[in-house]
Amino acid sequence: MANLSLKGVGKTYGGAQQAAVTGIDLDIADGEFIVLVGPSGCGKSSLLRMIAGLETISTGEVAIGGRVVNRLDPAERDIAMVFQNYALYPHMSVRDNMAYGLKNRRTPKAEIAQRVEEAARMLELGPYLDRKPRALSGGQRQRVAMGRAIVRQPAAFLFDEPLSNLDARLRVTMRMEIRRLQKRLGTTSVYVTHDQLEAMTLADRLVVLNGGRIEQIGAPLEVYRRPASTFVASFIGAPAMSLVDAQIENGQLLLERYLLAHVGNAPGPVTLGLRAEELRIGPAGIPMRVEHVEELGAQRIVHGMIGAQRLSVADGSGAPLSETVLVSVDPARLNLFDTATGRRSELRLTAAQAPLPV
Amino acid sequence: MQKIKPFDHLVLILGSLFLCLPVVLALMSSTHGAVDIHSNGLYLTPGTEGWETYKKVLTHRGGFTGDVTGLLMLGNSLVMGLGFAVGKIVLSMMAAYALVYFRFRFATILFWMIFFTLLLPLEVRIMPSYQVMADLHLLNTYTGLILPLLASATGTFFFRQFFRSVPDELLEAARIDGAGPVKFFLDVLVPLSRTMMAAIFIIMFIYGWNQYLWPLLMTTDESFYTLMRGIKSILQVWVGSQIPDYNEAFALAVLAMIPPVAVVVIFQRMFIKGLTESDK
């Protein structure tokens, strides 16, 4: 159990012109569950592997529990890792798989046995202790991999897309199981995934990475509600936040010439971010041409166009839709981004906020 | 699957007869007297002198020194075969481990150099090899018989390919579990390579067992005679009107067949597994 701190961590692979990861500053509190999320190639795995010691650190400093570990072997860093393909030793029984790391550390036999038993009970692996990984299902294998991490009682767990090889149903149950276990053990965890849903549901804090840099750090809801950039806006949440081009003229925020709000921001083109569930289909608003509808059961996602702008609206009414629907939004829930940089800029609504027809 | 027709069986039966007949001939003929074989040709039926022939072959002290028995030659051949197989497996596994898992300069070039030696049979380098062994005073020793031929490009290549197919995460998991290079090799790679080792063992054992030219050069001392040389020397006594002991030659040949057959039978299942699938 320990806190983790990254200072200006960067990675440049041999021969590569560009750095894969640059200037990562991150402080992880003891017991915190951090999820690194981003599209493939964003450097999240490289970052995790640098923490683990499987990759050398090109620049910066990684400290685990206040001890700088840059030059330490993975085994000396007091971390445990769960891999995407489980990486179980195929020739060893479940018991031996879990005990291997402890044996190498010369833990007394009795203690090994006790810790393995405990982990097996926690993960409901008891009946499988003497089986080979080959004879287990994917979910069970993943649990063994987690057991191998747990028995070590490390300072931190590192998860490298551990659920990617499982089918959708199992992923959901394993997700909850991981969260429950982590809460119970209170071990600092860093979890890498490209699945934003997994990231949202697991994290105490999310770290959204893009192109080797941190786009945003924050609690899942904060990241969801107030994305720091258009990248985060489009990456986090399903359906993705609709990003549309809008104009500010004379203190008016205009979407395709329709007035959305009175604002105090500087005039010019802006990018607006609209969450599907914050848009409402109603008797008044901006007309949207319906293109197609995704039925999800509890609600449906209506995809359509306002002028040349594509928009998605979540609708739970189930009422029949006409070809054109009227869409409205609470101005306070609008996300404003600088069109040029993609960074968030705060929307300043002016007092003259007569309840707009929008 | 195609339906099996009687004709297919016929082809198979003819094929196996064709392959088995020489073995049966050798076995049956070895139970007849040398004179009978000389005058009547080979036999397909069992004779009456089998027991004596085999006993004589195994225990009769022959050669110039009068010390060489079949049993001794059998032992020598076994030492050759086992030494070859075990030595080659150990050496080529370690070489492949270094090539695959250690980042050192020229690893690829080194590998291709090793690989190219596949193209050079023993006969090409037999004189220099002999010279080296002579200079090291290793003629007429088991070390000299086995050591120079231990480096195996085939084995190194096989193990290299196998090690490359082992997922990297396994190494990483082992590193996190605190296993150093030696521990990873012994605890993870060696057990995973069991089927591969069985496959290579069969190939190399038979290769070693069948060596003829190299022992012929390396050993002048009769106590190092292998079975292959023993068979040859029996047939060489064509002096004057003497009839070679065909029956003894056949008996030795039959004896020479037993250990490789045994090895194949024992390792067969692992052998097939090793060549077709990997235990991952």
Side-chain angles (χ1 to χ4, degrees), chain A residues 49 52-54 74-75 79-81 83 85 87-92 100-101 104-105 134 148 152, chain B residues 167 169-180 183-184 187-189 191-192 194 273 279-280:
Chain A
R49 292 165 59 81
L54 298 171
I79 44 106
M81 190 152 165
F83 295 88
N85 64 1
L88 300 176
Y89 310 116
H91 58 290
M92 294 186 197
Y100 187 62
N104 289 341
R105 284 180 172 69
R134 193 178 21 213
R148 194 166 63 179
R152 290 259 320 280
Chain B
E169 283 85 353
L170 226 47
L171 170 68
E172 293 172 350
R175 281 179 67 192
I176 289 174
D177 271 342
K183 248 186 156 349
F184 174 68
D187 286 354
V188 179
L189 280 185
L192 281 183
R194 270 201 321 254
K273 249 175 118 183
D279 191 17
K280 280 195 299 289

Side-chain angles (χ1 to χ4, degrees), chain B residues 64-81:
Chain B
F64 293 115
T65 49
D67 281 335
V68 189
T69 64
L71 223 48
L72 180 77
M73 292 191 282
L74 201 67
N76 283 338
S77 282
L78 266 178
V79 168
M80 279 283 282

Side-chain angles (χ1 to χ4, degrees), chain A residues 163 166-176:
Chain A
L163 304 183
L166 303 178
D167 63 62
R169 264 177 84 106
L170 209 52
R171 220 177 291 171
V172 176
T173 45
M174 286 300 290
R175 204 166 68 199
M176 291 195 288

Side-chain angles (χ1 to χ4, degrees), chain A residues 58-307:
Chain A
S58 308
T59 59
E61 210 174 81
V62 173
I64 299 175
R67 183 174 60 132
V68 176
V69 295
N70 279 34
R71 301 206 155 271
L72 292 185
D73 266 350
E76 296 163 10
R77 294 188 180 198
D78 198 17
I79 44 106
M81 190 152 165
V82 178
F83 295 88
Q84 177 178 354
N85 64 1
Y86 325 126
L88 300 176
Y89 310 116
H91 58 290
M92 294 186 197
S93 67
V94 168
R95 188 192 305 278
D96 292 340
N97 259 290
M98 293 206 263
Y100 187 62
L102 294 175
K103 264 184 208 154
N104 289 341
R105 284 180 172 69
R106 300 183 204 288
T107 313
K109 271 215 170 84
E111 194 183 338
I112 294 180
Q114 182 229 323
R115 285 203 208 173
V116 169
E117 288 299 329
E118 197 185 313
R121 209 185 52 241
M122 231 187 282
L123 295 162
E124 290 157 32
L125 282 171
Y128 310 109
L129 274 179
D130 293 312
R131 288 209 198 163
K132 295 274 169 67
R134 193 178 21 213
L136 300 179
S137 70
Q140 289 165 340
R141 284 183 208 184
Q142 193 57 75
R143 285 220 289 275
V144 176
M146 271 156 53
R148 194 166 63 179
I150 289 171
V151 293
R152 290 259 320 280
Q153 303 178 349
F157 290 140
L158 307 177
F159 296 91
D160 190 4
E161 309 210 13
L163 304 183
S164 299
N165 279 7
L166 303 178
D167 63 62
R169 264 177 84 106
L170 209 52
R171 220 177 291 171
V172 176
T173 45
M174 286 300 290
R175 204 166 68 199
M176 291 195 288
E177 206 163 321
I178 289 180
R179 185 67 183 137
R180 194 171 50 78
L181 263 173
Q182 195 270 342
K183 275 253 145 56
R184 184 168 155 191
L185 298 167
T187 309
T188 315
S189 301
V190 183
Y191 188 107
V192 160
T193 181
H194 60 260
D195 181 343
Q196 55 87 23
L197 188 63
E198 226 169 88
M200 290 279 295
T201 47
L202 282 170
D204 289 328
R205 275 198 300 160
L206 271 180
V207 177
V208 185
L209 289 164
N210 183 28
R213 291 171 192 283
I214 293 181
E215 287 273 335
Q216 186 172 9
I217 306 176
L221 267 187
E222 186 191 329
V223 173
Y224 183 81
R225 293 230 174 101
R226 299 172 51 79
S229 65
T230 49
F231 173 80
V232 178
S234 59
F235 192 77
I236 299 291
M241 185 183 271
S242 309
L243 294 170
V244 295
D245 294 325
Q247 290 282 333
I248 296 176
E249 280 171 27
N250 307 323
Q252 292 182 320
L253 177 60
L254 301 170
L255 169 62
E256 297 282 315
R257 312 317 302 170
Y258 295 100
L259 176 67
L260 284 178
H262 292 284
V263 295
N265 298 58
V270 290
T271 301
L272 264 189
L274 301 157
R275 282 277 174 221
E277 67 274 14
E278 308 203 318
L279 290 161
R280 277 182 308 279
I281 294 174
I286 304 167
M288 179 178 86
R289 201 168 65 251
V290 175
E291 295 230 300
H292 75 276
V293 179
E294 284 178 307
E295 279 298 348
L296 300 178
Q299 59 173 13
R300 59 190 170 186
I301 308 293
V302 182
H303 300 276
M305 307 281 280
I306 294 179

Side-chain angles (χ1 to χ4, degrees), chain B residues 5 7 22 79 91 97-98 104 118 153 170 202 204 215 217 236:
Chain B
K5 301 185 194 81
F7 178 72
V79 168
L91 204 65
Y97 182 55
F104 57 91
L118 266 180
L170 226 47
I202 296 188
M204 292 310 170
L217 272 173
Q236 256 168 350

